C-alpha cells in the first residue's frame, strides 16, 4: 500500500485541485470512481485565520470523499499556522456528522498564476521565495501531525523548483506535486514531464506528477518516463471520472476498460444525485456537464446548451437528450 507519511492510500492516481470545479460533489464522484486522493480547491489561509463564514462553507467535506487534502494559499506563515490549527479543531467533530471538516493532509499552493495571485504575491509568486515556502511549511507542520505537502510549478519566470523542493523538504513537507510549467506559460505549451523526472531524482519526498494526462495510458507513460510515485489528473477528469477507474485498472495490469455512452450516462446521473444530495446548484453542476460533451457529433451544441442552462432540471433534460 502506498503512503504519504502515515497516510495510507488505496491507489496512486489523484484528482487535482481545480477552483470552481472540485466541489464536494465532484470530489466524491471521483473517489467513487477510484481517485486515491482529492483536494479542495485553493482556499485562503488568511480568510480561515480570520474565521470568514463564507470560507468555512468552502471547507465542507464528507466522510465518503476521504482522504482529502485542504489546499491553502497565502504568503504569511502566521496565517497558515492559524488556518491549520482552526481546521484541526473543526475536524474534531464526530466523523459521522455531515457535513464535516475533517482533512487528512494539508497542501500549500505554489502554482496559482492568475493575475490576482501575482498581485497578491501568493500562488506561483512563492516560487521566487524558497525560504518563505520553508517557513510556511514549518508553521503548518507545527500545528498538525497530518502530512503537509505542496503543489508547485517549475517557477514563476525562471525555474526554481529544485530550490523550493529542497527548502520544503528541509521544513518537513512529506510530498510534492509538480505541474511542470512556468507561471508565465499557458496550457498551449506541453507540460515538461522530464522536469518531474529531475525532481524525483533530487528529492526523497514522494513526487506527484501532473500535467497533460488525457487518456488512461498517459498515467502509465508518465510513471514510466518520470519515475513519479503518484499521478494527478485535472482537466481530463471533468465530465469523466471514469478515467480514474480506467487508469487504476491499467496500473493493476488489467486491460483498459472501454467507456461507452452508457458509462457516461450512469456517471452523469450519479453526479446529479450528489449535486442534489449536497444541495448544490446549477452553477456547481455546469462545468462537469460541459466536460461530458466532448468527441461526438453535436457536442458543441450540447456544451452551449449546458452553459446556458438556468436550472438543474434543464441540465438533466439536455443530458438525457444526449446520453439517455
Ligand atoms: C479551472 C482550473 C482551476 C484550477 N485551480 C487550481 C487550484 O485551485 N489549485 C491548484 O493547485 N491548481 C489549480 N489548477 C491547476 C491544476 O490543478 C493542474 O495543475 C493543471 O490543470 C494541470 O493538470 P491537467 O493537465 O491534468 O489539467 C487549476 C486548473 C484549472 C484548469
Amino acid at each position: 500500500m502506498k503512503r504519504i507519511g502515515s497516510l495510507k492510500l488505496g491507489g496512486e492516481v489523484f484528482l487535482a485541485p481545480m477552483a470552481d470545479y472540485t466541489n464536494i460533489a465532484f470530489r466524491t464522484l471521483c473517489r467513487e470512481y477510484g481517485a486515491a486522493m482529492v483536494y479542495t480547491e485553493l482556499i485562503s489561509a488568511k480568510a480561515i485565520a480570520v474565521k470568514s463564514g463564507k470560507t468555512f462553507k468552502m471547507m465542507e467535506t464528507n466522510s465518503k470523499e476521504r482522504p482529502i487534502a485542504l489546499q491553502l494559499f497565502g504568503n504569511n506563515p502566521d496565517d497558515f499556522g492559524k488556518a491549520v490549527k482552526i481546521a484541526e479543531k473543526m475536524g474534531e467533530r464526530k466523523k459521522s456528522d455531515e457535513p464535516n471538516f475533517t482533512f487528512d493532509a494539508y497542501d500549500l499552493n505554489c502554482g496559482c498564476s492568475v493575475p490576482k495571485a501575482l498581485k497578491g504575491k501568493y500562488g506561483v509568486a512563492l516560487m521566487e521565495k524558497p525560504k518563505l515556502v520553508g517557513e510556511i511549511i514549518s508553521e503548518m507542520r507545527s500545528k498538525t501531525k497530518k502530512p503537509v505537502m505542496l503543489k508547485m510549478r517549475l517557477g514563476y519566470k525562471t525555474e526554481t523548483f529544485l530550490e523550493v523542493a529542497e527548502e520544503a523538504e528541509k521544513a518537513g513537507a512529506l510530498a510534492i506535486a509538480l505541474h511542470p510549467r512556468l507561471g508565465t506559460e499557458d496550457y498551449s505549451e506541453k507540460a515538461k514531464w522530464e522536469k518531474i523526472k529531475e525532481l524525483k531524482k533530487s528529492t526523497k519526498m514522494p513526487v506527484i506528477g501532473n500535467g497533460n494526462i488525457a487518456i488512461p495510458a498517459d498515467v502509465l507513460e508518465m510513471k514510466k518516463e518520470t519515475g513519479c510515485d503518484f499521478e494527478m489528473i485535472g482537466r481530463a477528469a471533468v465530465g469523466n471520472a471514469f478515467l480514474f477507474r480506467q487508469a487504476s485498472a491499467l496500473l493493476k495490469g488489467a486491460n483498459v476498460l472501454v467507456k461507452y455512452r452508457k458509462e457516461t450516462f450512469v456517471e452523469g446521473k450519479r453526479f446529479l444525485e450528489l449535486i442534489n444530495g449536497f444541495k448544490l446548484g446549477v452553477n456547481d453542476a455546469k462545468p462537469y456537464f460541459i466536460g461530458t460533451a466532448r468527441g461526438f457529433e453535436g457536442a458543441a451544441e450540447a456544451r452551449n446548451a449546458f452553459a446556458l442552462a438556468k436550472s438543474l432540471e434543464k441540465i438533466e433534460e439536455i443530458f438525457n437528450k444526449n446520453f439517455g
Side-chain angles (χ1 to χ4, degrees):
M1 182 167 270
K2 290 211 158 192
R3 288 168 180 263
I4 291 179
S6 57
L7 180 62
K8 291 185 190 146
L9 296 159
E12 62 178 69
V13 190
F14 294 179
L15 172 66
M18 285 182 288
D20 298 330
Y21 285 67
T22 48
N23 57 45
I24 191 168
F26 184 53
R27 297 189 311 249
T28 305
L29 182 78
C30 291
R31 283 283 295 127
E32 287 179 359
Y33 274 83
M37 175 141 90
V38 298
Y39 293 59
T40 65
E41 64 181 287
L42 79 175
I43 296 181
S44 160
K46 189 182 271 319
I48 300 176
V50 301
K51 303 194 174 162
S52 144
K54 202 170 129 222
T55 302
F56 288 158
K57 184 85 195 134
M58 291 169 76
M59 290 167 68
E60 283 181 12
T61 68
N62 79 99
S63 46
K64 293 190 200 78
E65 61 174 329
R66 297 182 60 192
I68 175 167
L70 171 64
Q71 192 189 58
L72 298 172
F73 76 85
N75 56 21
N76 178 348
D78 228 35
D79 290 340
F80 283 87
K82 285 187 187 137
V84 171
K85 196 170 166 189
I86 291 170
E88 286 283 281
K89 189 94 198 131
M90 289 166 78
E92 284 168 14
R93 290 161 49 126
K94 278 209 204 81
K95 292 201 174 57
S96 56
D97 285 352
E98 297 296 354
N100 72 42
F101 296 88
T102 312
F103 297 100
D104 300 283
Y106 294 94
D107 188 71
L108 167 62
N109 180 307
C110 299
C112 185
S113 61
V114 300
K116 211 168 136 191
L118 301 174
K119 196 157 166 258
K121 300 204 180 333
Y122 63 84
V124 79
L126 293 181
M127 295 302 294
E128 298 203 309
K129 301 211 159 88
K131 294 262 183 250
L132 178 59
V133 169
E135 284 166 35
I136 294 174
I137 298 279
S138 279
E139 197 52 37
M140 291 166 81
R141 285 260 304 162
S142 72
K143 300 292 185 290
T144 181
K145 291 195 172 63
K146 293 172 187 164
V148 170
M149 323 183 286
L150 68 159
K151 177 168 178 285
M152 62 179 187
R153 287 199 181 217
L154 292 175
Y156 172 24
K157 292 179 182 160
T158 57
E159 289 182 8
T160 51
F161 67 109
L162 295 178
E163 291 97 299
V164 171
E166 196 183 331
E167 291 299 330
E169 186 166 15
K170 269 199 285 184
L174 290 184
I176 186 160
L178 178 60
H179 169 203
R181 289 187 173 93
L182 290 171
T184 48
E185 286 171 332
D186 62 26
Y187 287 74
S188 60
E189 313 249 352
K190 189 155 182 352
K192 299 179 188 71
W193 286 4
E194 66 278 11
K195 303 289 175 181
I196 301 174
K197 184 175 178 181
E198 220 176 304
L199 176 64
K200 178 66 195 162
K201 281 193 181 143
S202 83
T203 181
K204 291 200 175 60
M205 290 181 279
V207 169
I208 306 157
N210 169 238
N212 287 125
I213 292 178
I215 55 169
D218 290 340
V219 170
L220 283 187
E221 202 54 38
M222 178 188 271
K223 196 176 159 77
K224 197 171 95 201
E225 262 184 46
T226 69
C228 64
D229 304 275
F230 298 96
E231 302 79 31
M232 176 186 265
I233 307 179
R235 291 162 300 160
V238 177
N240 185 21
F242 194 76
L243 182 54
F244 291 106
R245 190 172 289 167
Q246 292 173 310
S248 308
L250 261 192
L251 284 165
K252 285 187 189 126
N255 288 336
V256 72
L257 307 163
V258 183
K259 187 181 187 192
Y260 297 104
R261 244 166 99 99
K262 183 171 152 272
E263 275 74 35
T264 304
F265 187 66
V266 170
E267 184 185 314
K269 287 285 180 186
R270 175 64 185 145
F271 184 59
L272 271 177
E273 249 172 48
L274 289 165
I275 284 278
N276 284 314
F278 291 118
K279 300 190 172 44
L280 300 184
V282 62
N283 289 333
D284 303 304
K286 265 186 197 180
Y288 172 88
F289 284 100
I290 292 171
T292 61
R294 300 189 254 215
F296 60 89
E297 209 178 312
E301 288 102 87
R303 282 199 298 276
N304 205 24
F306 282 132
L308 294 173
K310 298 238 173 334
S311 66
L312 284 172
E313 290 71 27
K314 187 70 190 168
I315 292 262
E316 188 159 18
E317 185 192 311
I318 304 161
F319 186 64
N320 287 342
K321 193 172 130 210
N322 283 281
F323 295 98

mmCIF file of all heavy atoms in Angstrom, residues 242-280:
data_model
loop_
_atom_site.group_PDB
_atom_site.id
_atom_site.type_symbol
_atom_site.label_atom_id
_atom_site.label_comp_id
_atom_site.label_asym_id
_atom_site.label_seq_id
_atom_site.Cartn_x
_atom_site.Cartn_y
_atom_site.Cartn_z
ATOM 1 N N PHE A 242 -14.756 8.430 -14.851
ATOM 2 C CA PHE A 242 -14.480 7.053 -15.270
ATOM 3 C C PHE A 242 -12.986 6.855 -15.578
ATOM 4 O O PHE A 242 -12.451 5.753 -15.487
ATOM 5 C CB PHE A 242 -15.324 6.737 -16.514
ATOM 6 C CG PHE A 242 -15.415 5.285 -16.860
ATOM 7 C CD1 PHE A 242 -16.228 4.434 -16.125
ATOM 8 C CD2 PHE A 242 -14.701 4.754 -17.922
ATOM 9 C CE1 PHE A 242 -16.325 3.084 -16.449
ATOM 10 C CE2 PHE A 242 -14.787 3.412 -18.254
ATOM 11 C CZ PHE A 242 -15.596 2.567 -17.521
ATOM 12 N N LEU A 243 -12.313 7.945 -15.929
ATOM 13 C CA LEU A 243 -10.876 7.889 -16.213
ATOM 14 C C LEU A 243 -10.097 7.310 -15.020
ATOM 15 O O LEU A 243 -9.100 6.606 -15.211
ATOM 16 C CB LEU A 243 -10.383 9.315 -16.547
ATOM 17 C CG LEU A 243 -8.940 9.550 -16.917
ATOM 18 C CD1 LEU A 243 -8.479 8.660 -18.063
ATOM 19 C CD2 LEU A 243 -8.739 11.024 -17.322
ATOM 20 N N PHE A 244 -10.544 7.591 -13.795
ATOM 21 C CA PHE A 244 -9.851 7.031 -12.626
ATOM 22 C C PHE A 244 -10.005 5.509 -12.581
ATOM 23 O O PHE A 244 -9.076 4.799 -12.224
ATOM 24 C CB PHE A 244 -10.377 7.657 -11.316
ATOM 25 C CG PHE A 244 -9.980 9.101 -11.183
ATOM 26 C CD1 PHE A 244 -10.900 10.109 -11.372
ATOM 27 C CD2 PHE A 244 -8.664 9.439 -10.887
ATOM 28 C CE1 PHE A 244 -10.530 11.443 -11.263
ATOM 29 C CE2 PHE A 244 -8.284 10.767 -10.783
ATOM 30 C CZ PHE A 244 -9.220 11.769 -10.973
ATOM 31 N N ARG A 245 -11.200 5.028 -12.952
ATOM 32 C CA ARG A 245 -11.408 3.573 -12.962
ATOM 33 C C ARG A 245 -10.519 2.938 -14.027
ATOM 34 O O ARG A 245 -9.885 1.907 -13.802
ATOM 35 C CB ARG A 245 -12.895 3.278 -13.240
ATOM 36 C CG ARG A 245 -13.240 1.838 -13.032
ATOM 37 C CD ARG A 245 -14.741 1.596 -13.107
ATOM 38 N NE ARG A 245 -15.457 2.135 -11.959
ATOM 39 C CZ ARG A 245 -16.783 2.273 -11.900
ATOM 40 N NH1 ARG A 245 -17.539 1.906 -12.922
ATOM 41 N NH2 ARG A 245 -17.362 2.759 -10.827
ATOM 42 N N GLN A 246 -10.468 3.575 -15.191
ATOM 43 C CA GLN A 246 -9.646 3.036 -16.286
ATOM 44 C C GLN A 246 -8.165 3.032 -15.914
ATOM 45 O O GLN A 246 -7.460 2.042 -16.102
ATOM 46 C CB GLN A 246 -9.841 3.891 -17.542
ATOM 47 C CG GLN A 246 -11.225 3.787 -18.144
ATOM 48 C CD GLN A 246 -11.407 4.783 -19.284
ATOM 49 O OE1 GLN A 246 -11.126 5.977 -19.139
ATOM 50 N NE2 GLN A 246 -11.879 4.317 -20.420
ATOM 51 N N ALA A 247 -7.707 4.157 -15.341
ATOM 52 C CA ALA A 247 -6.278 4.273 -15.009
ATOM 53 C C ALA A 247 -5.904 3.274 -13.913
ATOM 54 O O ALA A 247 -4.846 2.630 -13.983
ATOM 55 C CB ALA A 247 -5.961 5.702 -14.562
ATOM 56 N N SER A 248 -6.791 3.120 -12.925
ATOM 57 C CA SER A 248 -6.486 2.187 -11.829
ATOM 58 C C SER A 248 -6.395 0.764 -12.359
ATOM 59 O O SER A 248 -5.526 -0.011 -11.943
ATOM 60 C CB SER A 248 -7.561 2.246 -10.738
ATOM 61 O OG SER A 248 -7.746 3.573 -10.343
ATOM 62 N N ALA A 249 -7.282 0.401 -13.290
ATOM 63 C CA ALA A 249 -7.254 -0.947 -13.873
ATOM 64 C C ALA A 249 -5.936 -1.159 -14.620
ATOM 65 O O ALA A 249 -5.263 -2.189 -14.450
ATOM 66 C CB ALA A 249 -8.437 -1.138 -14.809
ATOM 67 N N LEU A 250 -5.540 -0.169 -15.397
ATOM 68 C CA LEU A 250 -4.282 -0.280 -16.160
ATOM 69 C C LEU A 250 -3.092 -0.463 -15.239
ATOM 70 O O LEU A 250 -2.207 -1.290 -15.489
ATOM 71 C CB LEU A 250 -4.052 1.001 -16.967
ATOM 72 C CG LEU A 250 -4.416 1.026 -18.430
ATOM 73 C CD1 LEU A 250 -3.842 2.269 -19.080
ATOM 74 C CD2 LEU A 250 -3.899 -0.209 -19.158
ATOM 75 N N LEU A 251 -3.072 0.318 -14.156
ATOM 76 C CA LEU A 251 -1.950 0.232 -13.211
ATOM 77 C C LEU A 251 -1.873 -1.147 -12.553
ATOM 78 O O LEU A 251 -0.808 -1.591 -12.166
ATOM 79 C CB LEU A 251 -2.073 1.316 -12.128
ATOM 80 C CG LEU A 251 -1.689 2.723 -12.569
ATOM 81 C CD1 LEU A 251 -2.177 3.759 -11.570
ATOM 82 C CD2 LEU A 251 -0.173 2.846 -12.741
ATOM 83 N N LYS A 252 -3.031 -1.800 -12.445
ATOM 84 C CA LYS A 252 -3.046 -3.149 -11.852
ATOM 85 C C LYS A 252 -2.740 -4.214 -12.906
ATOM 86 O O LYS A 252 -2.841 -5.407 -12.643
ATOM 87 C CB LYS A 252 -4.412 -3.433 -11.225
ATOM 88 C CG LYS A 252 -4.607 -2.693 -9.908
ATOM 89 C CD LYS A 252 -5.901 -3.123 -9.237
ATOM 90 C CE LYS A 252 -6.195 -2.228 -8.060
ATOM 91 N NZ LYS A 252 -7.546 -1.629 -8.123
ATOM 92 N N GLY A 253 -2.473 -3.792 -14.125
ATOM 93 C CA GLY A 253 -2.100 -4.733 -15.182
ATOM 94 C C GLY A 253 -3.296 -5.271 -15.954
ATOM 95 O O GLY A 253 -3.148 -6.160 -16.792
ATOM 96 N N ALA A 254 -4.499 -4.771 -15.657
ATOM 97 C CA ALA A 254 -5.685 -5.239 -16.391
ATOM 98 C C ALA A 254 -5.815 -4.467 -17.705
ATOM 99 O O ALA A 254 -5.157 -3.442 -17.889
ATOM 100 C CB ALA A 254 -6.928 -5.025 -15.535
ATOM 101 N N ASN A 255 -6.653 -4.967 -18.581
ATOM 102 C CA ASN A 255 -6.900 -4.251 -19.835
ATOM 103 C C ASN A 255 -7.682 -2.983 -19.540
ATOM 104 O O ASN A 255 -8.437 -2.929 -18.577
ATOM 105 C CB ASN A 255 -7.739 -5.112 -20.780
ATOM 106 C CG ASN A 255 -6.917 -6.245 -21.335
ATOM 107 O OD1 ASN A 255 -5.682 -6.165 -21.385
ATOM 108 N ND2 ASN A 255 -7.590 -7.313 -21.720
ATOM 109 N N VAL A 256 -7.493 -1.990 -20.392
ATOM 110 C CA VAL A 256 -8.228 -0.750 -20.166
ATOM 111 C C VAL A 256 -9.725 -0.980 -20.409
ATOM 112 O O VAL A 256 -10.119 -1.678 -21.331
ATOM 113 C CB VAL A 256 -7.655 0.405 -21.027
ATOM 114 C CG1 VAL A 256 -7.995 0.244 -22.493
ATOM 115 C CG2 VAL A 256 -8.140 1.740 -20.523
ATOM 116 N N LEU A 257 -10.546 -0.476 -19.505
ATOM 117 C CA LEU A 257 -11.991 -0.640 -19.647
ATOM 118 C C LEU A 257 -12.478 0.348 -20.695
ATOM 119 O O LEU A 257 -12.078 1.513 -20.685
ATOM 120 C CB LEU A 257 -12.685 -0.327 -18.312
ATOM 121 C CG LEU A 257 -12.152 -1.079 -17.100
ATOM 122 C CD1 LEU A 257 -12.610 -0.415 -15.809
ATOM 123 C CD2 LEU A 257 -12.637 -2.517 -17.150
ATOM 124 N N VAL A 258 -13.335 -0.121 -21.586
ATOM 125 C CA VAL A 258 -13.833 0.775 -22.634
ATOM 126 C C VAL A 258 -14.976 1.608 -22.066
ATOM 127 O O VAL A 258 -15.787 1.110 -21.298
ATOM 128 C CB VAL A 258 -14.331 -0.036 -23.853
ATOM 129 C CG1 VAL A 258 -14.789 0.895 -24.965
ATOM 130 C CG2 VAL A 258 -13.225 -0.952 -24.348
ATOM 131 N N LYS A 259 -14.995 2.885 -22.439
ATOM 132 C CA LYS A 259 -16.077 3.743 -21.964
ATOM 133 C C LYS A 259 -17.106 3.932 -23.081
ATOM 134 O O LYS A 259 -16.785 4.454 -24.146
ATOM 135 C CB LYS A 259 -15.517 5.101 -21.543
ATOM 136 C CG LYS A 259 -16.591 5.958 -20.893
ATOM 137 C CD LYS A 259 -16.060 7.311 -20.499
ATOM 138 C CE LYS A 259 -17.105 8.055 -19.700
ATOM 139 N NZ LYS A 259 -16.788 9.447 -19.532
ATOM 140 N N TYR A 260 -18.300 3.428 -22.829
ATOM 141 C CA TYR A 260 -19.388 3.608 -23.781
ATOM 142 C C TYR A 260 -20.282 4.743 -23.288
ATOM 143 O O TYR A 260 -20.149 5.213 -22.162
ATOM 144 C CB TYR A 260 -20.194 2.310 -23.913
ATOM 145 C CG TYR A 260 -19.382 1.159 -24.461
ATOM 146 C CD1 TYR A 260 -18.920 0.140 -23.624
ATOM 147 C CD2 TYR A 260 -19.060 1.091 -25.812
ATOM 148 C CE1 TYR A 260 -18.168 -0.916 -24.121
ATOM 149 C CE2 TYR A 260 -18.308 0.036 -26.321
ATOM 150 C CZ TYR A 260 -17.860 -0.970 -25.469
ATOM 151 O OH TYR A 260 -17.110 -1.988 -25.953
ATOM 152 N N ARG A 261 -21.232 5.135 -24.148
ATOM 153 C CA ARG A 261 -22.218 6.160 -23.788
ATOM 154 C C ARG A 261 -22.922 5.846 -22.477
ATOM 155 O O ARG A 261 -23.192 6.723 -21.667
ATOM 156 C CB ARG A 261 -23.292 6.156 -24.879
ATOM 157 C CG ARG A 261 -23.413 7.390 -25.690
ATOM 158 C CD ARG A 261 -24.265 7.001 -26.871
ATOM 159 N NE ARG A 261 -25.656 7.429 -26.641
ATOM 160 C CZ ARG A 261 -26.144 8.533 -27.164
ATOM 161 N NH1 ARG A 261 -25.391 9.303 -27.910
ATOM 162 N NH2 ARG A 261 -27.394 8.874 -26.956
ATOM 163 N N LYS A 262 -23.190 4.541 -22.293
ATOM 164 C CA LYS A 262 -23.918 4.120 -21.086
ATOM 165 C C LYS A 262 -23.130 4.507 -19.825
ATOM 166 O O LYS A 262 -23.721 4.932 -18.829
ATOM 167 C CB LYS A 262 -24.114 2.593 -21.141
ATOM 168 C CG LYS A 262 -24.898 2.052 -19.993
ATOM 169 C CD LYS A 262 -25.241 0.575 -20.217
ATOM 170 C CE LYS A 262 -25.386 -0.144 -18.905
ATOM 171 N NZ LYS A 262 -24.159 -0.688 -18.357
ATOM 172 N N GLU A 263 -21.819 4.356 -19.874
ATOM 173 C CA GLU A 263 -20.996 4.699 -18.692
ATOM 174 C C GLU A 263 -21.102 6.201 -18.391
ATOM 175 O O GLU A 263 -21.178 6.604 -17.248
ATOM 176 C CB GLU A 263 -19.523 4.325 -18.905
ATOM 177 C CG GLU A 263 -19.185 2.883 -18.567
ATOM 178 C CD GLU A 263 -19.684 1.899 -19.589
ATOM 179 O OE1 GLU A 263 -19.682 2.233 -20.792
ATOM 180 O OE2 GLU A 263 -20.087 0.783 -19.184
ATOM 181 N N THR A 264 -21.085 7.001 -19.456
ATOM 182 C CA THR A 264 -21.228 8.455 -19.258
ATOM 183 C C THR A 264 -22.583 8.752 -18.636
ATOM 184 O O THR A 264 -22.706 9.583 -17.736
ATOM 185 C CB THR A 264 -21.098 9.201 -20.605
ATOM 186 O OG1 THR A 264 -19.860 8.836 -21.186
ATOM 187 C CG2 THR A 264 -21.146 10.716 -20.428
ATOM 188 N N PHE A 265 -23.609 8.034 -19.106
ATOM 189 C CA PHE A 265 -24.973 8.263 -18.602
ATOM 190 C C PHE A 265 -25.049 7.921 -17.104
ATOM 191 O O PHE A 265 -25.525 8.720 -16.296
ATOM 192 C CB PHE A 265 -25.959 7.412 -19.416
ATOM 193 C CG PHE A 265 -27.397 7.715 -19.089
ATOM 194 C CD1 PHE A 265 -27.952 8.953 -19.388
ATOM 195 C CD2 PHE A 265 -28.196 6.763 -18.473
ATOM 196 C CE1 PHE A 265 -29.277 9.240 -19.083
ATOM 197 C CE2 PHE A 265 -29.521 7.040 -18.149
ATOM 198 C CZ PHE A 265 -30.059 8.282 -18.459
ATOM 199 N N VAL A 266 -24.529 6.760 -16.751
ATOM 200 C CA VAL A 266 -24.578 6.316 -15.344
ATOM 201 C C VAL A 266 -23.800 7.304 -14.472
ATOM 202 O O VAL A 266 -24.262 7.723 -13.404
ATOM 203 C CB VAL A 266 -23.988 4.882 -15.215
ATOM 204 C CG1 VAL A 266 -23.801 4.484 -13.756
ATOM 205 C CG2 VAL A 266 -24.888 3.880 -15.929
ATOM 206 N N GLU A 267 -22.625 7.703 -14.953
ATOM 207 C CA GLU A 267 -21.784 8.626 -14.170
ATOM 208 C C GLU A 267 -22.475 9.986 -13.989
ATOM 209 O O GLU A 267 -22.503 10.540 -12.885
ATOM 210 C CB GLU A 267 -20.428 8.791 -14.868
ATOM 211 C CG GLU A 267 -19.471 9.656 -14.077
ATOM 212 C CD GLU A 267 -18.161 9.926 -14.824
ATOM 213 O OE1 GLU A 267 -17.548 8.990 -15.385
ATOM 214 O OE2 GLU A 267 -17.749 11.101 -14.840
ATOM 215 N N GLY A 268 -23.044 10.503 -15.072
ATOM 216 C CA GLY A 268 -23.706 11.814 -15.015
ATOM 217 C C GLY A 268 -24.902 11.806 -14.070
ATOM 218 O O GLY A 268 -25.130 12.749 -13.318
ATOM 219 N N LYS A 269 -25.659 10.703 -14.098
ATOM 220 C CA LYS A 269 -26.824 10.584 -13.202
ATOM 221 C C LYS A 269 -26.357 10.557 -11.739
ATOM 222 O O LYS A 269 -26.975 11.158 -10.871
ATOM 223 C CB LYS A 269 -27.607 9.296 -13.523
ATOM 224 C CG LYS A 269 -28.378 9.389 -14.810
ATOM 225 C CD LYS A 269 -29.619 10.261 -14.613
ATOM 226 C CE LYS A 269 -30.407 10.371 -15.895
ATOM 227 N NZ LYS A 269 -31.521 11.273 -15.840
ATOM 228 N N ARG A 270 -25.280 9.838 -11.505
ATOM 229 C CA ARG A 270 -24.750 9.773 -10.134
ATOM 230 C C ARG A 270 -24.285 11.164 -9.688
ATOM 231 O O ARG A 270 -24.514 11.575 -8.553
ATOM 232 C CB ARG A 270 -23.580 8.767 -10.080
ATOM 233 C CG ARG A 270 -22.886 8.700 -8.745
ATOM 234 C CD ARG A 270 -23.796 8.194 -7.634
ATOM 235 N NE ARG A 270 -23.153 8.244 -6.330
ATOM 236 C CZ ARG A 270 -23.788 8.527 -5.193
ATOM 237 N NH1 ARG A 270 -25.085 8.773 -5.185
ATOM 238 N NH2 ARG A 270 -23.146 8.545 -4.058
ATOM 239 N N PHE A 271 -23.656 11.884 -10.608
ATOM 240 C CA PHE A 271 -23.192 13.229 -10.263
ATOM 241 C C PHE A 271 -24.381 14.125 -9.894
ATOM 242 O O PHE A 271 -24.317 14.876 -8.918
ATOM 243 C CB PHE A 271 -22.373 13.827 -11.418
ATOM 244 C CG PHE A 271 -21.791 15.178 -11.092
ATOM 245 C CD1 PHE A 271 -20.939 15.349 -10.016
ATOM 246 C CD2 PHE A 271 -22.112 16.296 -11.853
ATOM 247 C CE1 PHE A 271 -20.414 16.600 -9.699
ATOM 248 C CE2 PHE A 271 -21.589 17.545 -11.551
ATOM 249 C CZ PHE A 271 -20.739 17.697 -10.466
ATOM 250 N N LEU A 272 -25.459 14.019 -10.661
ATOM 251 C CA LEU A 272 -26.648 14.821 -10.343
ATOM 252 C C LEU A 272 -27.209 14.475 -8.965
ATOM 253 O O LEU A 272 -27.621 15.356 -8.209
ATOM 254 C CB LEU A 272 -27.728 14.588 -11.402
ATOM 255 C CG LEU A 272 -27.679 15.501 -12.616
ATOM 256 C CD1 LEU A 272 -28.766 15.117 -13.608
ATOM 257 C CD2 LEU A 272 -27.843 16.984 -12.222
ATOM 258 N N GLU A 273 -27.197 13.166 -8.659
ATOM 259 C CA GLU A 273 -27.650 12.728 -7.323
ATOM 260 C C GLU A 273 -26.808 13.390 -6.233
ATOM 261 O O GLU A 273 -27.324 13.875 -5.224
ATOM 262 C CB GLU A 273 -27.401 11.225 -7.195
ATOM 263 C CG GLU A 273 -28.625 10.349 -7.146
ATOM 264 C CD GLU A 273 -28.198 8.876 -7.216
ATOM 265 O OE1 GLU A 273 -27.278 8.433 -6.474
ATOM 266 O OE2 GLU A 273 -28.789 8.186 -8.032
ATOM 267 N N LEU A 274 -25.491 13.413 -6.476
ATOM 268 C CA LEU A 274 -24.581 14.007 -5.472
ATOM 269 C C LEU A 274 -24.810 15.519 -5.379
ATOM 270 O O LEU A 274 -24.841 16.089 -4.293
ATOM 271 C CB LEU A 274 -23.118 13.701 -5.828
ATOM 272 C CG LEU A 274 -22.710 12.233 -5.646
ATOM 273 C CD1 LEU A 274 -21.383 11.942 -6.350
ATOM 274 C CD2 LEU A 274 -22.574 11.894 -4.161
ATOM 275 N N ILE A 275 -24.966 16.165 -6.524
ATOM 276 C CA ILE A 275 -25.220 17.621 -6.541
ATOM 277 C C ILE A 275 -26.471 17.922 -5.717
ATOM 278 O O ILE A 275 -26.485 18.818 -4.871
ATOM 279 C CB ILE A 275 -25.382 18.120 -8.004
ATOM 280 C CG1 ILE A 275 -24.020 18.200 -8.687
ATOM 281 C CG2 ILE A 275 -26.129 19.440 -8.084
ATOM 282 C CD1 ILE A 275 -23.216 19.449 -8.411
ATOM 283 N N ASN A 276 -27.520 17.150 -5.947
ATOM 284 C CA ASN A 276 -28.774 17.365 -5.201
ATOM 285 C C ASN A 276 -28.580 17.021 -3.727
ATOM 286 O O ASN A 276 -29.034 17.757 -2.855
ATOM 287 C CB ASN A 276 -29.906 16.531 -5.804
ATOM 288 C CG ASN A 276 -30.405 17.153 -7.103
ATOM 289 O OD1 ASN A 276 -30.630 18.366 -7.173
ATOM 290 N ND2 ASN A 276 -30.560 16.357 -8.147
ATOM 291 N N GLY A 277 -27.903 15.919 -3.468
ATOM 292 C CA GLY A 277 -27.684 15.465 -2.090
ATOM 293 C C GLY A 277 -26.927 16.499 -1.256
ATOM 294 O O GLY A 277 -27.224 16.697 -0.083
ATOM 295 N N PHE A 278 -25.970 17.155 -1.879
ATOM 296 C CA PHE A 278 -25.198 18.172 -1.147
ATOM 297 C C PHE A 278 -25.822 19.569 -1.286
ATOM 298 O O PHE A 278 -25.221 20.560 -0.877
ATOM 299 C CB PHE A 278 -23.740 18.211 -1.629
ATOM 300 C CG PHE A 278 -22.963 16.984 -1.261
ATOM 301 C CD1 PHE A 278 -22.425 16.153 -2.236
ATOM 302 C CD2 PHE A 278 -22.773 16.645 0.071
ATOM 303 C CE1 PHE A 278 -21.721 15.003 -1.893
ATOM 304 C CE2 PHE A 278 -22.064 15.503 0.425
ATOM 305 C CZ PHE A 278 -21.545 14.679 -0.554
ATOM 306 N N LYS A 279 -27.004 19.612 -1.888
ATOM 307 C CA LYS A 279 -27.759 20.866 -2.047
ATOM 308 C C LYS A 279 -26.954 21.929 -2.802
ATOM 309 O O LYS A 279 -26.933 23.099 -2.438
ATOM 310 C CB LYS A 279 -28.221 21.406 -0.689
ATOM 311 C CG LYS A 279 -29.131 20.437 0.047
ATOM 312 C CD LYS A 279 -29.776 21.080 1.255
ATOM 313 C CE LYS A 279 -30.820 20.224 1.913
ATOM 314 N NZ LYS A 279 -30.501 18.813 2.107
ATOM 315 N N LEU A 280 -26.257 21.491 -3.844
ATOM 316 C CA LEU A 280 -25.529 22.447 -4.684
ATOM 317 C C LEU A 280 -26.459 22.897 -5.818
ATOM 318 O O LEU A 280 -27.522 22.312 -6.026
ATOM 319 C CB LEU A 280 -24.247 21.817 -5.242
ATOM 320 C CG LEU A 280 -23.228 21.323 -4.193
ATOM 321 C CD1 LEU A 280 -21.965 20.824 -4.880
ATOM 322 C CD2 LEU A 280 -22.858 22.426 -3.210
#
